[in-house]
Amino acid sequence: MQNIIPRLAAVHDISGFGKCSLTVVLPILSAMGIEVCPLPTAVLSTHTGGFGDYTFLDMTDDMPKIIDHWKSLDIKFDAIYSGFLGSPRQVDILIDFIEKFKHDKLLTIVDPVMGDHGKLYSTMTDEMVEKMRKLVANASIITPNFTEAALLLGEECVTGAVSDDLVFSWAKRLADLGAAQVVITSVMSDDNEMYVVIYDKQTGAAKKIYCKYTQGVFHGTGDTFTSVLSARLLHGDSLEAAAQTAANFVSAAIAETVKYPGITTRDGILFEKVLANGL
Ligand code: PXL
């Protein structure tokens, strides 16, 4: 039987405070009409970006047990969407998960969460970067930010503006790692605007998607973007339409957030206002 509501397995950590990963993925996808089944990779008190001494419970050993239970129940997923992983071994577990639940229409969305603004997040290692290259080979769509794109390609993590030629060639090289479609987020233009690049391997077409408002740097924007993108793709949108809606959503949430100067980078964005009031 087909799922009445599209069903997505969300392979992310849960960070109690700081608005990223599952605390963003769950509400956004549910509000957009997608059933979310969380497969937690780690449980943290906060995300790793700016709150000091966070707690970290690694869920690696439990993940295969959760997957096996789901398999015994014959649960069908329309999509598997992964983000922040708690250990390099989770890549092998995730590849096995994809293999066990594979069918013709399964959408595998991998956000290779590793770093941003030219730097690795504090729990990430060179081993994780190496393993992420293996994971992206098993995805239908990948959504690295510009730093993660550089890490996957073994390029220097530059920050600041880059040429269209460079970012289009990176998108193509990323697709050569395995995914049919590539989205690179947080790319900076000469006039200090952020944009997203989408690339489709089958058509060979690359396109820039502009965001209306992107001043300010906040945690969880990547998770917000890929959640909206995943929801719209599951509802049948083209990659371009889904990426534009996701960019508009993030822009609108940032525009809400910067109205309140007390909210800083680590606090994340006021995505709830956009969910509640619409775009
Ligand atoms: O939003 C990416 C992310 C997810 N999960 C954790 C993080 C980060 C980024 O810092 O620390 C735990």
Side-chain angles (χ1 to χ4, degrees):
M1 197 189 82
Q2 254 199 313
N3 296 320
I4 298 161
I5 302 281
R7 181 180 292 141
L8 172 145
V11 190
H12 295 254
D13 70 283
I14 179 147
S15 290
F17 191 76
K19 290 211 274 195
C20 67
S21 45
L22 282 175
T23 60
V24 166
V25 172
L26 268 158
I28 292 179
L29 279 148
S30 295
M32 293 182 74
I34 307 296
E35 178 186 348
V36 186
C37 305
L39 174 52
T41 57
V43 181
L44 296 86
S45 50
T46 66
H47 62 60
T48 63
F51 293 106
D53 241 352
Y54 55 85
T55 67
F56 187 101
L57 176 66
D58 181 352
M59 293 294 287
T60 306
D61 289 339
D62 272 61
M63 289 172 68
K65 299 181 210 165
I66 296 170
I67 294 165
D68 286 349
H69 188 211
W70 286 353
K71 191 67 199 165
S72 76
L73 296 170
D74 201 24
I75 297 172
K76 302 274 188 289
F77 293 107
D78 299 286
I80 295 175
Y81 161 30
S82 71
F84 179 98
L85 301 183
S87 72
R89 186 151 66 88
Q90 291 184 4
V91 167
D92 299 314
I93 294 169
L94 192 43
I95 290 172
D96 185 55
F97 178 39
I98 293 169
E99 208 44 54
K100 283 196 170 108
F101 286 77
K102 211 169 195 129
H103 56 83
D104 280 356
K105 296 207 173 103
L106 180 72
L107 196 61
T108 46
I109 304 144
V110 171
D111 186 357
V113 172
M114 293 184 284
D116 207 357
H117 307 289
K119 287 201 229 82
L120 280 175
Y121 296 136
S122 62
T123 59
M124 296 295 156
T125 57
D126 290 345
E127 188 190 356
M128 187 67 109
V129 176
E130 197 53 52
K131 290 290 249 185
M132 276 293 184
R133 290 195 189 113
K134 190 173 162 199
L135 182 59
V136 296
N138 289 270
S140 25
I141 303 187
I142 60 170
T143 61
N145 61 34
F146 192 70
T147 297
E148 290 155 352
L151 289 165
L152 287 171
L153 295 174
E155 295 284 352
E156 202 189 327
C157 290
V158 287
T159 52
V162 284
S163 70
D164 288 2
D165 282 354
L166 179 111
V167 72
F168 288 159
S169 76
W170 280 21
K172 188 174 174 317
R173 283 172 56 201
L174 286 168
D176 290 341
L177 297 179
Q181 292 178 314
V182 172
V183 181
I184 306 179
T185 62
S186 305
V187 190
M188 192 67 85
S189 72
D190 284 337
D191 39 8
N192 245 3
E193 272 197 81
M194 288 270 227
Y195 63 95
V196 168
V197 165
I198 58 170
Y199 176 76
D200 187 308
K201 189 150 64 180
Q202 204 183 3
T203 60
K207 201 168 167 108
K208 287 158 96 169
I209 307 277
Y210 281 96
C211 313
K212 272 178 272 171
Y213 190 94
T214 43
Q215 298 287 283
V217 175
F218 297 100
H219 268 277
T221 49
D223 299 326
T224 305
F225 177 89
T226 306
S227 296
V228 176
L229 180 89
S230 303
R232 288 314 315 164
L233 289 173
L234 281 168
H235 287 304
D237 278 9
S238 66
L239 180 64
E240 181 176 347
Q244 187 65 68
T245 303
N248 292 350
F249 187 105
V250 173
S251 300
I254 293 175
E256 283 299 331
T257 308
V258 296
K259 288 180 191 164
Y260 304 88
I263 301 179
T264 60
T265 298
R266 69 181 193 176
D267 297 318
I269 50 175
L270 301 183
F271 71 88
E272 299 90 340
K273 280 191 184 269
V274 187
L275 266 192
N277 302 327
L279 271 175

